[in-house]
Amino acid sequence: MNYKNFPMVSKIIFGRGSFNQLDELISPKRQGRNAPFIFFVDDVFKGNHWLTSRIRLSYKDKIIYIPTDEEPKTSQIDQLTEDIILEYSEQPSGIIGIGGGIVLDVAKAVALMLTNEGESKDYQGWDLIKNPAVYHVGVPTISGTGAEVSRTTILTGPDKKLGINSDYTPFDQVILDPELTKDVPNDQWFYTGMDCFVHCIESLTGTYLNAFSQSYGEKALQLCKEVFLGDHLSKEASQEKLMMASWHGGMSIAYSQVGIAHAMSYGLSYLLGIKHGIGNCIVFDHLDEYYPDGVDLFKQMKANHSIELPQDVCADLEDYQFDIMINVALSLEPLWENALGKNWKQVMTPEKIKALYQKM
Ligand code: NAD
Ligand code: ZN
């Protein structure tokens, strides 16, 4: 057995208002006047003085607002990287991502591509990155994806949706300030929070499970239950617990894998542009055959928070479109093996996946 040796986020600060310390945290990393800090900020915060007034710009530092109607594309990452290379004479001192999973992934990917030649699509996969990234910092403003802790940045390329998984991908610094999540709309809070819940279920029921993953997964699941099924939590406690659930959920899958909901949600995302959180929910709702206890809990959570999921998203699709989704889903072999074991191909046939998609 050859065990994997994983890097982790090197520094982490946790607490309500800890975002106030951003400047103090990154200042020691400044490489000089011509080496700026670039702040990628979720465009939901444009004009939001409460947040942006705490980003102190010096010398050539810059804020770039990132739209979130679409998940990150390799072409977008290449463009952002190219713009920075053309605009500045020196490599940036640091890249700081402030936002949801999309913005965190953009920050990670650009930090990697600034020091690695060529196009980001060529690095989609495992351990293809050769050089360490530029110093990069993650500040999540919505909880659930685990992108703040993971060693991947998920990108849609010309022919696949796949992460850049590497030892250089994890953030050098993460700021966990639960107060930053206070204005997340209810539906989105649920969808992104369920990403964490699904990470827990897929990890804990998977064949790759081990004591490392289990310890994090169980904690994250317990926190999710408190947040989504409990009714005595203050708003503050709920924000704090979900932020830690996201962290633990991410740690849990670091040493195992996700499963069927993620594989099929990637198909929906690739073909229809359905975003990760809501896509997972649409799929997971129909996976009772594979995750009976998890789906049961999910339905209770959905009812508790009066969430109505979109129906019939695949109703008008043609056969060739189903084939595209099925191919994307089936190409994610480790996810299926984790969910169903070594002989998964005998259990999950293209016909079976199609029948599931047809229900959605
Ligand atoms: P997201 O980044 O699209 O954010 C969801 C929405 O919430 C956006 O409209 C955003 O503007 C808004 N938002 C964020 N913070 C807010 C706040 N404080 N107040 C109000 N609105 C706020 O969605 P997400 O679910 O966080 O992330 C999904 C993305 O993360 C996908 O691209 C997915 O591929 C990626 N992902 C990455 C990993 C990883 O390990 N790298 C893991 C899971 C998902
Ligand atoms: Zn996920």
Side-chain angles (χ1 to χ4, degrees):
M1 183 73 187
N2 188 24
Y3 295 99
K4 284 190 186 152
N5 185 21
F6 279 130
M8 303 215 327
V9 170
S10 331
K11 290 200 162 182
I12 162 114
I13 181 166
F14 174 84
R16 298 186 85 73
S18 58
F19 184 59
N20 292 334
Q21 289 169 245
L22 173 65
D23 193 54
E24 151 200 338
L25 293 173
I26 64 176
S27 288
K29 299 290 178 182
R30 190 179 288 280
Q31 306 286 328
R33 294 175 185 201
N34 293 320
F37 284 113
I38 308 287
F39 299 86
F40 289 120
V41 179
D42 202 308
D43 76 354
V44 78
F45 294 115
K46 220 182 223 170
N48 181 327
H49 188 70
W50 176 75
L51 184 117
T52 55
S53 65
R54 290 183 274 174
I55 303 175
R56 285 247 301 274
L57 301 180
S58 309
Y59 307 110
K60 295 178 175 169
D61 296 351
K62 185 173 183 177
I63 294 181
I64 298 174
Y65 288 100
I66 303 292
T68 57
D69 5 291
E70 289 184 359
E71 298 190 345
K73 293 197 168 58
T74 53
S75 55
Q76 176 193 10
I77 299 303
D78 296 339
Q79 188 63 55
L80 287 166
T81 307
E82 187 68 18
D83 291 348
I84 292 172
I85 291 171
L86 290 176
E87 183 166 349
Y88 298 100
S89 56
E90 287 179 26
Q91 195 74 273
S93 296
I95 303 290
I96 296 95
I98 304 170
I102 290 184
V103 176
L104 296 180
D105 277 359
V106 166
K108 287 177 176 181
V110 171
L112 287 166
M113 292 312 298
L114 281 166
T115 53
N116 287 274
E117 291 204 341
E119 296 177 71
S120 49
K121 71 174 168 56
D122 299 330
Y123 295 101
Q124 285 178 285
W126 282 269
D127 303 308
L128 301 170
I129 291 281
K130 295 187 188 68
N131 305 314
V134 165
Y135 172 73
H136 52 303
V137 178
V139 187
T141 63
I142 180 171
S143 299
T145 62
E148 65 280 13
V149 69
S150 76
R151 98 190 251 291
T152 189
T153 160
I154 302 170
L155 305 177
T156 302
D159 43 39
K160 54 186 178 247
K161 179 176 175 184
L162 185 62
I164 300 181
N165 300 263
S166 87
D167 282 354
Y168 303 120
T169 309
F171 287 113
D172 299 297
Q173 167 82 59
V174 167
I175 300 178
L176 292 184
D177 180 347
E179 195 183 22
L180 298 181
T181 66
K182 70 182 173 61
D183 295 321
V184 172
N186 190 58
D187 279 14
Q188 189 63 54
W189 166 79
F190 185 83
Y191 299 144
T192 300
M194 283 303 108
D195 190 20
C196 175
F197 174 72
V198 173
H199 292 158
C200 297
I201 302 296
E202 292 184 327
S203 170
L204 289 170
T205 60
T207 60
Y208 291 1
L209 190 66
N210 52 69
F212 182 99
S213 294
Q214 187 174 7
S215 65
Y216 285 105
E218 283 174 351
K219 188 71 209 177
L221 180 59
Q222 179 215 326
L223 290 166
C224 284
K225 286 183 184 165
E226 288 180 46
V227 169
F228 292 102
L229 291 175
D231 45 18
H232 303 299
L233 284 187
S234 68
K235 259 192 144 31
E236 287 77 15
S238 164
Q239 292 160 1
E240 288 161 16
K241 283 175 192 277
L242 191 56
M243 192 160 261
M244 289 320 298
S246 176
W247 184 271
H248 282 82
M251 285 299 295
S252 179
I253 49 178
Y255 229 82
S256 67
Q257 250 307 345
V258 285
I260 302 178
H262 275 75
M264 294 190 65
S265 160
Y266 274 38
L268 288 179
S269 158
Y270 188 78
L271 182 77
L272 303 172
I274 294 177
K275 291 172 75 186
H276 189 74
I278 193 169
N280 278 346
C281 289
I282 292 172
V283 176
F284 199 67
D285 209 26
H286 296 282
L287 295 183
D288 42 307
E289 189 180 337
Y290 306 96
Y291 303 108
D293 299 341
V295 173
D296 201 45
L297 279 173
F298 174 75
K299 289 190 191 283
Q300 287 176 44
M301 292 172 174
K302 211 175 52 160
N304 264 13
H305 297 284
S306 314
I307 301 293
E308 303 258 3
L309 292 176
Q311 303 292 323
D312 301 327
V313 295
C314 299
D316 301 321
L317 298 182
E318 314 255 351
D319 279 344
Y320 82 93
Q321 291 176 302
F322 280 109
D323 289 343
I324 292 172
M325 290 199 296
I326 293 166
N327 285 334
V328 171
L330 281 178
S331 70
L332 298 159
E333 301 209 356
L335 282 61
W336 294 102
E337 185 177 303
N338 178 44
L340 301 169
K342 286 234 177 301
N343 297 324
W344 65 270
K345 284 183 182 156
Q346 280 138 38
V347 185
M348 190 50 81
T349 58
E351 295 74 34
K352 194 100 213 234
I353 301 187
K354 186 169 181 179
L356 281 168
Y357 274 131
Q358 281 168 330
K359 290 200 223 168
M360 293 170 194

